Amino acid sequence: HFGGDICSCPSIMARVFAVGLDLGGQETSLAVFDHKKQCSTPLEIQSAKTIPTCVAVEPGGGTAPIVGKRAETRSAKKCEGVLCAFRQMIYASDKAWGQHRQDCEERWHFTMGQGSKDVPSYRVGGEDMGVDTVIEGVVEVICTSLLDAAKPGGVLQVDESEAVEWGAFAVTVPECLTEKQRQIIVSAVQGVAQRRLGGGVVV
């Protein structure tokens, strides 16, 4: 059953949404399908229609990842000690993409390593950071946008009497990614989405 069982309380109606997240290009975009209204709505991310598929992370994990335009600015400055993750860096996590690995090392101040649980990692500032950590940083921002849109008075026009449920969560990725790379992304997205949006989310 999509999105879980509808609440038995007669005063509360369930409003079920499905999510579409595009991680397949240089820009990340987001849309929601409203099962009640049978329509799709594009959602803004950080007050913009799209955001650059870019994450900047300080080694040590003491601060939350910077996602989108601000991260792109840091990458343009080639900040030492900051991991600036573009879409191409996901390619670099596969051994077949040797040229991308070389480009990353020369341009973005990090090398590829082998992280825990067989998940490739980026080596930056003397530390390893898993590819999944980078994806999780993007999805955290996406979930915040979804929750804000679903508040009473938000873009999705949810009434205070309606309980919000999140069901299917579709993610598009570059066609050339390997099955292993796709599974890393699915696991990272599902972990964050279920924690932020509820256990009914299926990626």
Side-chain angles (χ1 to χ4, degrees), residues 83-93 104 108 110 112 122:
L83 169 62
C84 295
F86 278 103
R87 177 178 67 120
Q88 291 94 327
M89 293 168 62
I90 302 298
Y91 298 158
S93 67
C104 289
W108 308 116
F110 73 93
M112 296 303 299
Y122 306 118

Side-chain angles (χ1 to χ4, degrees), residues 54-57 71 74-76 78-79 82-86 89 108 110:
C54 185
V55 181
V57 188
R74 287 198 173 203
S75 67
K78 299 180 176 60
C79 301
V82 176
L83 169 62
C84 295
F86 278 103
M89 293 168 62
W108 308 116
F110 73 93

Side-chain angles (χ1 to χ4, degrees), residues 173-195:
V173 296
E175 184 178 0
C176 56
L177 293 192
T178 65
E179 183 60 30
K180 179 180 179 180
Q181 289 171 311
R182 292 169 186 268
Q183 286 305 312
I184 291 172
I185 293 172
V186 167
S187 296
V189 173
Q190 184 148 312
V192 175
Q194 289 189 343
R195 173 170 53 81

Side-chain angles (χ1 to χ4, degrees), residues 133-146:
T133 300
V134 175
I135 299 299
E136 288 166 0
V138 174
V139 181
E140 286 282 358
V141 172
I142 295 302
C143 288
T144 296
S145 297
L146 292 169

